[in-house]
Amino acid sequence: MKKAVIIGGGISGLATAALLAQAGHHVTLIEKNAQLGGRARVYKKKGYSFDMGPSWYMMPEVFDRFFALFGKKTSDFYSLIKLNPHYKVVFNPKTHAYIYDDTQKNTEVFEGIEKNAGNTLKTYLARMQKAYDIALQLLYFDTSHIRSWLSAHKIFLAIRFFFLIPFWTNWYAFTQKYFTHPHLLKILTFPAVFLGGSPYNTPALYSLLTWADFGRGIWYPKGGMTMIIRALENLALSHNVTILTSTKVTRVLYLNNAITHVVCGKKKTLACDIVVNTADLQHFETRILDQAHQTYDAAYWKKKTKAISAFIMFIGIKKRLKNATHHTLFFASDWQKNFAALFKKTKKLYTNPSFYVAIASATDRSIVPKAHEQLFVLVPTGAQLSTSAEQYKKYSDHILDLLEDHYGPIRDAIDVVRIYTPHSFAQDYNAYTGTALGLAHTFLQSLFFVLH
Ligand SMILES: Cc1cc2nc3c(=O)[nH]c(=O)nc-3n(C[C@H](O)[C@H](O)[C@H](O)COP(=O)(O)OP(=O)(O)OC[C@H]3O[C@@H](n4cnc5c(N)ncnc54)[C@H](O)[C@@H]3O)c2cc1C
């Protein structure tokens, strides 16, 4: 039995802790915040329960596989609701569309926007499905080491994958080979945002997410995404993981270049044989490891393409909204300029942004007080810390205007409102330059180029 210390109590830390404990190790998990969950924490106030990060439950087979490793089923922990429609997209105040849990209906939606696009969608999805199936086979080995690719079967799969989706082109350009209407291109490429990038700097290989969405579906765990955290915490505790919250790892001690102890300020020093870091890598490398043991120094991180960050509003209102859809995406008319702005060093906030609204209470009434509604509003922003609190305050007013344009009066019923900014990401998660999602999934930061 080895002593393992896990740094970070988000999804990765909790899952790793449970796996190592099941393998017979003595595991301690250390989390700096009072609440477990990391970016998937929950904000509770006045009877509202807001998921603070993830809201799209996709690729359920990955969760099923994980729980099966413990002889469990996902349904042992939470029940999933399949969303239909998956989401609404708003192109401008007069034009919107829905994407459904129904391929035939989606082909009609596409056909209504561009001639022959319905049939093209079927061809496109068939290709994505093949790529997705291959990706799932490749998912469970370590793609970050080139030597782990050295098996005939994996090489064959990788070649097949890149035959289906080329790696040298960006997601937007690849999708343009199939569709021309900007509305369809927006629908199919916006998930680049989930990867912290833009459709123009994210490689086409991630377009397989289209199959995860159109082909597999979008789910919601009743009670919220926080149910995943509860499930992982239960698993970890049932395997005797010791969980320390409100405890920050500050440095590690070495003997002969191996880490022997994890130090939590003056609070605690833990001896260990294994350390798994799940906190943001830049923080671990530059703040926890000493300089002699850093693989990547401060200068290196500066050069990397940071993932976008987000300006988020959690809004609880004392009324129901008539036109509430669980997921709604609002697309900026100057979409490309908006994306370009996210990767520029500017403290200015975009006045005509693309943004996303989740109204989970449209699906799940258990997360709000009776006859109330809750909105999670996410506006992608650059990962930078120069925008002031005053600017964000003003911006929240502007975003409320945009919301009211679509949903009708909201201000008159506001019960709870909280703003979350890149500064919050930096403070709460030690996120470099306040990024919401670490590094962007550009080509040179993907596959075996992923930092490890
Ligand atoms: C706004 C937003 C929306 C998202 N939407 C989706 C979605 O819809 N669907 C989806 O699948 N994914 C989504 N994601 C991504 C998903 O939430 C993350 O990939 C996932 O939660 C990351 O988990 P993690 O454990 O790897 O990292 P984290 O959750 O960041 O966990 C790392 C933990 O380490 C802790 N830590 C940091 N420094 C220290 C230290 N020195 N000592 C101790 N602890 C430390 C942090 O507090 C944190 O709890 C979203 C993310 C965000 C931010």
Side-chain angles (χ1 to χ4, degrees):
M1 180 194 277
K2 290 195 172 165
K3 285 192 273 266
V5 172
I6 314 292
I7 306 174
I11 292 176
S12 318
L14 286 164
T16 310
L19 286 169
L20 284 179
Q22 181 180 242
H25 300 299
H26 181 274
V27 183
T28 305
L29 178 145
I30 305 175
E31 166 55 48
K32 78 181 262 294
N33 292 321
Q35 191 193 121
L36 290 172
R39 283 164 164 94
R41 283 183 304 159
V42 67
Y43 169 53
K44 288 186 187 248
K45 182 104 180 178
K46 287 178 146 184
Y48 300 90
S49 177
F50 297 92
D51 284 314
M52 293 181 70
S55 51
W56 300 66
Y57 190 103
M58 296 168 84
M59 302 175 71
E61 60 273 42
V62 175
F63 293 87
D64 296 345
R65 181 186 180 274
F66 175 80
F67 291 125
L69 295 174
F70 296 87
K72 300 274 186 196
K73 295 196 290 291
T74 303
S75 58
D76 293 333
F77 299 100
Y78 46 84
S79 46
L80 288 172
I81 300 168
K82 200 169 195 205
L83 299 183
N84 194 15
H86 287 178
Y87 47 89
K88 177 179 180 179
V89 281
V90 178
F91 303 106
N92 57 53
K94 289 196 184 127
T95 323
H96 66 260
Y98 288 94
I99 298 302
Y100 298 96
D101 187 34
D102 180 332
T103 304
Q104 186 50 38
K105 262 181 144 174
N106 290 334
T107 56
E108 284 159 24
V109 170
F110 271 51
E111 195 62 42
I113 296 176
E114 179 183 319
K115 198 162 181 284
N116 293 329
N119 275 335
T120 310
L121 178 66
K122 284 186 190 155
T123 314
Y124 185 77
L125 288 180
R127 192 170 189 142
M128 292 304 133
Q129 181 177 11
K130 284 186 196 144
Y132 182 90
D133 290 344
I134 294 174
L136 273 194
Q137 291 179 61
L138 294 175
L139 186 66
Y140 300 114
F141 82 93
D142 180 3
T143 52
S144 61
H145 290 276
I146 199 134
R147 64 178 174 275
S148 65
W149 287 83
L150 298 179
S151 103
H153 182 59
K154 285 175 199 162
I155 291 172
F156 169 72
L157 286 177
I159 291 171
R160 266 199 73 204
F161 182 90
F162 289 119
F163 181 72
L164 290 163
I165 307 181
F167 59 82
W168 54 87
T169 181
N170 71 52
W171 192 336
Y172 198 84
F174 175 67
T175 314
Q176 276 180 310
K177 292 189 199 314
Y178 290 83
F179 305 94
T180 52
H181 198 290
H183 289 180
L184 299 184
L185 292 167
K186 287 178 183 181
I187 292 173
L188 291 168
T189 64
F190 83 86
V193 172
F194 294 173
L195 301 163
S198 96
Y200 307 95
N201 70 4
T202 304
L205 69 98
Y206 294 109
S207 59
L208 58 88
L209 272 179
T210 305
W211 179 253
D213 167 4
F214 282 66
R216 299 287 294 115
I218 311 288
W219 279 262
Y220 169 81
K222 189 157 172 30
M225 299 293 275
T226 188
M227 297 305 288
I228 305 169
I229 300 302
R230 262 197 235 171
L232 296 176
E233 183 184 0
N234 283 342
L235 264 185
L237 290 175
S238 67
H239 286 82
N240 300 320
V241 172
T242 304
I243 296 180
L244 306 175
T245 51
S246 304
T247 306
K248 182 177 171 182
V249 175
T250 47
R251 65 193 179 103
V252 290
L253 305 179
Y254 308 83
L255 181 69
N256 299 331
N257 288 325
I259 296 176
T260 56
H261 292 82
V262 169
V263 182
C264 308
K266 288 185 184 146
K267 259 189 171 175
K268 226 174 194 53
T269 297
L270 292 167
C272 57
D273 308 301
I274 301 170
V275 180
V276 181
N277 170 63
T278 68
D280 285 24
L281 191 56
Q282 184 273 346
H283 168 71
F284 178 68
E285 282 272 345
T286 61
R287 299 296 153 109
I288 295 178
L289 297 184
D290 66 19
Q291 213 167 3
H293 292 93
Q294 290 171 8
T295 315
Y296 310 104
D297 60 9
Y300 178 87
W301 289 102
K302 267 196 177 162
K303 284 188 262 158
K304 294 275 109 184
T305 308
K306 267 74 77 185
I308 56 166
S309 191
F311 170 81
I312 298 173
M313 293 177 75
F314 306 103
I315 307 171
I317 55 171
K318 289 183 183 173
K319 67 176 179 187
R320 299 292 313 267
L321 290 174
K322 278 200 197 90
N323 52 350
T325 308
H326 193 121
H327 297 298
T328 306
L329 298 151
F330 294 83
F331 293 147
S333 49
D334 52 355
W335 154 277
Q336 188 165 4
K337 228 169 117 192
N338 185 191
F339 272 116
L342 299 179
F343 294 92
K344 279 192 189 136
K345 279 197 181 120
T346 168
K347 58 183 176 188
K348 239 180 82 196
L349 294 161
Y350 215 69
T351 42
N352 171 29
S354 292
F355 62 102
Y356 159 63
V357 178
I359 307 183
S361 52
T363 303
D364 183 358
R365 301 301 304 156
S366 75
I367 56 167
V368 281
K370 195 162 181 253
H372 291 206
E373 208 87 87
Q374 68 167 46
L375 294 87
F376 166 96
V377 184
L378 185 152
V379 188
T381 65
Q384 51 78 24
L385 298 170
S386 52
T387 309
S388 68
E390 192 50 39
Q391 278 176 290
Y392 283 123
K393 177 103 193 34
K394 268 197 197 147
Y395 199 53
S396 65
D397 215 39
H398 174 62
I399 298 300
L400 277 172
D401 286 343
L402 299 182
L403 291 174
E404 291 194 326
D405 287 347
H406 185 77
Y407 294 104
I410 286 179
R411 282 183 174 86
D412 61 348
I414 287 184
D415 193 20
V416 165
V417 65
R418 179 178 172 192
I419 291 173
Y420 204 84
T421 71
H423 294 275
S424 320
F425 282 103
Q427 192 180 325
D428 288 353
Y429 309 119
N430 289 321
Y432 185 44
T433 65
T435 164
L437 298 159
L439 294 183
H441 287 66
T442 58
F443 178 64
L444 289 177
Q445 295 176 176
S446 294
L447 299 171
F448 34 74
F449 300 117
V450 166
L451 305 185
H452 56 278

